[in-house]
Amino acid sequence: MNLYAGKIIRVNLTEKKITIEETNRDWIDQYVGGMGLGFRYFFSQVRPDVDPLSPQNAMVFMNGPLAGSMAPLSCRLPMVSKSPQTGTIFESNVGGAIAAELKYVGYDGIIIKGKSDQPVYIAIKDGQLEIKDAQGLWGKGIFETEEKLKSLEKDEEIKSFIIGPAGENLVPMACIGTEAYRQLGRGGTGAIMGSKNLKAITVRGTQGVQVADMKGFLDYTSEISQSNLLTVDNLWAHTDGTPAFVASTNEMGIHPTLNFQQGTFEYWEKIDSAAVKSIKRRARACRSCPMACGNFVRTEKVMVEGPEYETLALAGSNCGISNIEAVAQFNEICDDLGLDTISTGNIIAFAMEMTEKKIHDFGVTFGDEDNYLRIPKEIAALSGRGKEMAQGVRSMAARYGGKEFAMEVKGLEMPGYEPRGNWGMGLAYATSERGACHLRAFTAFSETPYDLAAMAQEVVSQQNFNSVKWSMCLCDFWGTVNTEIMSQFLKFGLGKNISAEQLDQIGERIWNLSRIFNLRAGMKKVDDDLPPRIKKDGSSPKIYG
């Protein structure tokens, strides 16, 4: 089958049973792959009212059509499920090489339901599918577990999905790690995996990817890489990576600072791109990527890939932390424990403001580096103050107060672009299927940030476009890609024409499907809202714009 493997793995952990089925070709035509196909499979078999942490919830890992091929920036693998943070359908995706490995082992996706009676991991190799004992891995961090799995499987080249202590303890913002420093980061992916007593999934394949027109595919890959991808509009990702946004967001007044009390950070130059470069040792790339946007940093105290902009903003300036090494340490700690740095940074910033305003004493204030670095371990272990903080800012505010500055949408803490300085970002956060999210629509650098009509149209357009982009599983950093380019890859890969207009329609169909699921799950239009701080304190030109 051209581009697609044509098979899906289905795992029932309760029964310890693995079956194989053919990939639904009608759904491929309607939803392409990745996010869209994942939504469609999830929609077909999970009730909207399911408890996200129950055995009945499913984890749907679904590959894109270009995974494992030479198409650039195409090696991302999404997971679709129902979020323990928001109670909505959601998608989270990750780069690295695991998407290619899944294709090379001969499968388009993995669907997991049920709950094991003891810790297990799933091992997927050419011709072998096994559920194995993981009791010896339970309680260990992601970094150590990854090395132990390579030893257990006797293969240094396996790629893995792994949860840390945060996922094991069902922390709602827990994430899944892969290749040590990459994460299925948002929405509680790790908690869902932990609720199934599933410590890890290992994947190793040696098969190939079939395309209809190999010469045409390779020629087009080479041509479009030079003419569209490796251009000035995208190469910032290679030269600086996302830390470059620290300077630009501060200049525009949309940089989250002190729990979104301000849109600029006085010490931004201490956590900007130059600061990251000062401790950078090398670049790191995903499979089939010529951009190598990852910044691998190392000092006497820390070794990690990152920090990315979101961590620099939410765990840096938003917490009043201006020490680049401390932010990198925070990043490393969260990566090993399996915690989303965006939510964790937000939660700590909220606790800092709660403490300073004497609403509730969490024992941490803005700029308190020592406590800041201790809290992630407390959250992951559900110990002391971490037990309450682990439930997120919505829960903390409901218990103690401070709802007016609890920076979340639908229960998901906000990312690093201040909506008061760009109304399109506010609309994007409010209407995303997974809560506050900058990856469904991104208008932060628009030239008309306060033109509500223009921003509304742009958000709708980007939500539909990104739905098909994530279904093709193309990296966000290919900023100049369009549905015409996607159409050409599919033409050479599949041997049939799927027009740009058809892909546009597919994107809208995918977005609508997620909305239908959420409405059936009980979401109402009043849930498409923003925190009171954003709506009430939005007029200060001194801070914003």
Side-chain angles (χ1 to χ4, degrees):
M1 188 174 178
N2 292 328
L3 289 183
Y4 297 90
K7 292 183 291 184
I8 301 283
I9 301 169
R10 192 178 288 273
V11 181
N12 184 319
L13 288 171
T14 303
E15 299 177 3
K16 301 289 196 301
K17 183 179 180 181
I18 301 176
T19 56
I20 306 298
E21 63 186 53
E22 289 189 3
T23 309
N24 190 311
R25 298 195 183 198
D26 290 338
W27 289 354
I28 286 176
D29 291 340
Q30 295 171 337
Y31 297 95
V32 180
M35 173 174 159
L37 194 56
F39 276 171
R40 186 64 185 88
Y41 269 96
F42 187 81
F43 190 91
S44 72
Q45 60 198 288
V46 176
R47 290 173 55 92
D49 62 354
V50 72
D51 179 343
L53 298 181
S54 72
Q56 289 71 41
N57 194 17
M59 304 175 71
V60 180
F61 298 89
M62 194 60 64
N63 235 330
L66 301 178
S69 75
M70 294 297 291
L73 278 67
S74 63
C75 201
R76 298 196 69 83
L77 182 60
M79 190 202 88
V80 172
S81 192
K82 187 179 180 184
S83 170
Q85 283 187 285
T86 64
T88 65
I89 195 171
F90 80 109
E91 175 267 357
S92 184
N93 65 74
V94 69
I98 196 165
E101 289 296 330
L102 183 59
K103 187 71 69 73
Y104 296 155
V105 83
Y107 301 101
D108 291 316
I110 312 167
I111 301 172
I112 303 169
K113 294 185 78 173
K115 178 181 180 178
S116 173
D117 56 359
Q118 62 184 26
V120 295
Y121 73 95
I122 299 168
I124 304 170
K125 289 185 179 180
D126 288 330
Q128 298 178 12
L129 299 169
E130 297 180 76
I131 298 173
K132 298 186 176 184
D133 177 56
Q135 293 185 87
L137 302 172
W138 206 253
K140 299 186 184 303
I142 289 175
F143 302 162
E144 181 182 358
T145 301
E146 185 170 65
E147 293 308 308
K148 286 187 175 296
L149 284 168
K150 290 177 181 178
S151 176
L152 287 169
E153 293 300 308
K154 298 179 174 56
D155 190 342
E156 287 292 316
E157 297 303 317
I158 64 165
K159 300 298 181 284
S160 307
F161 279 138
I162 304 167
I163 60 169
E168 295 172 2
N169 291 326
L170 310 187
V171 174
M173 60 182 162
C175 61
I176 298 170
T178 181
E179 294 176 73
Y181 307 118
R182 294 186 168 93
Q183 293 77 36
L184 285 153
R186 308 229 70 197
T189 59
I192 300 167
M193 198 156 153
S195 73
K196 299 183 179 304
N197 269 334
L198 180 60
K199 179 65 176 180
I201 304 168
T202 66
V203 187
R204 178 74 166 113
T206 59
Q207 301 177 41
V209 177
Q210 182 176 332
V211 298
D213 180 353
M214 179 62 77
K215 184 178 186 305
F217 193 93
L218 293 178
D219 286 349
Y220 185 70
T221 296
S222 177
E223 186 276 319
I224 206 66
S225 294
Q226 295 302 317
S227 65
N228 185 279
L229 174 61
L230 299 175
T231 60
V232 67
D233 290 329
N234 299 311
L235 283 174
W236 61 268
H238 173 71
T239 57
D240 293 277
T242 59
F245 293 170
V246 172
S248 53
T249 53
N250 269 280
E251 183 178 356
M252 292 185 290
I254 61 171
H255 188 83
T257 301
L258 307 180
N259 195 35
F260 287 82
Q261 293 183 76
Q262 299 174 190
T264 57
F265 185 44
E266 181 180 0
Y267 306 107
W268 65 269
E269 289 178 294
K270 294 184 177 183
I271 58 168
D272 68 353
S273 177
V276 173
K277 286 181 179 179
S278 72
I279 57 174
K280 178 180 177 178
R281 295 297 173 261
R282 62 182 174 87
R284 200 161 180 249
C286 298
R287 185 77 61 87
S288 74
C289 177
M291 301 291 280
C293 72
N295 294 310
F296 186 80
V297 305
R298 186 167 189 169
T299 71
E300 290 184 2
K301 295 182 178 179
V302 65
M303 182 175 69
V304 71
E305 182 180 337
E308 298 291 345
Y309 169 76
E310 297 296 332
T311 306
L312 293 166
L314 281 314
S317 55
N318 209 40
C319 294
I321 304 296
S322 58
N323 179 349
I324 187 62
E325 189 173 48
V327 179
Q329 282 181 269
F330 184 93
N331 197 154
E332 182 183 27
I333 292 165
C334 287
D335 283 1
D336 193 33
L337 295 170
L339 285 172
D340 170 19
T341 58
I342 296 178
S343 283
T344 307
N346 264 296
I347 288 164
I348 294 174
F350 181 70
M352 289 170 166
E353 187 169 355
M354 292 276 280
T355 301
E356 292 197 353
K357 289 186 171 173
K358 299 185 178 358
I359 296 172
H360 181 77
D361 187 2
F362 282 99
V364 62
T365 55
F366 290 113
D368 179 357
E369 228 174 80
D370 291 338
N371 263 302
Y372 157 88
L373 289 173
R374 280 197 288 265
I375 289 174
K377 293 181 182 178
E378 297 171 16
I379 290 175
L382 300 179
S383 64
R385 59 189 164 180
K387 185 174 183 179
E388 291 180 331
M389 295 171 75
Q391 303 310 310
V393 298
R394 176 175 280 194
S395 174
M396 293 161 70
R399 180 165 186 175
Y400 295 112
K403 290 184 180 181
E404 64 275 14
F405 55 87
M407 307 308 291
E408 51 83 16
V409 176
K410 299 184 179 76
L412 185 68
E413 289 78 17
M414 284 173 46
Y417 306 89
E418 169 57 82
R420 283 169 288 191
N422 186 287
W423 292 353
M425 292 309 298
L427 289 169
Y429 295 167
T431 58
S432 163
E433 99 288 345
R434 69 177 190 175
C437 176
H438 62 294
L439 294 176
R440 298 302 183 248
F442 186 80
T443 65
F445 301 143
S446 168
E447 295 180 359
T448 57
Y450 303 115
D451 184 334
L452 189 58
M455 288 292 91
Q457 185 56 52
E458 182 65 16
V459 167
V460 170
S461 176
Q462 287 198 30
Q463 286 171 340
N464 292 339
F465 172 75
N466 284 328
S467 292
V468 76
K469 185 177 182 179
W470 307 148
S471 299
M472 292 286 292
C473 298
L474 296 172
C475 178
D476 188 38
F477 296 158
W478 192 348
T480 54
V481 74
N482 55 44
T483 48
E484 183 58 44
I485 293 171
M486 299 177 202
S487 173
Q488 288 295 104
F489 273 119
L490 292 176
K491 181 184 75 173
F492 292 118
L494 294 175
K496 65 178 183 180
N497 290 320
I498 299 175
S499 69
E501 291 75 21
Q502 286 174 296
L503 289 174
D504 291 336
Q505 291 175 350
I506 287 171
E508 184 175 7
R509 179 182 300 126
I510 292 165
W511 186 264
N512 289 342
L513 186 66
S514 71
R515 188 74 180 181
I516 290 168
F517 184 94
N518 285 343
L519 290 171
R520 291 181 178 179
M523 191 182 77
K524 299 177 174 59
K525 81 178 170 182
V526 295
D527 296 313
D528 292 338
D529 203 358
L530 293 167
R533 168 164 281 169
I534 297 300
K535 297 184 290 184
K536 180 180 178 182
D537 303 333
S539 59
S540 173
K542 179 180 177 182
I543 299 176
Y544 306 103

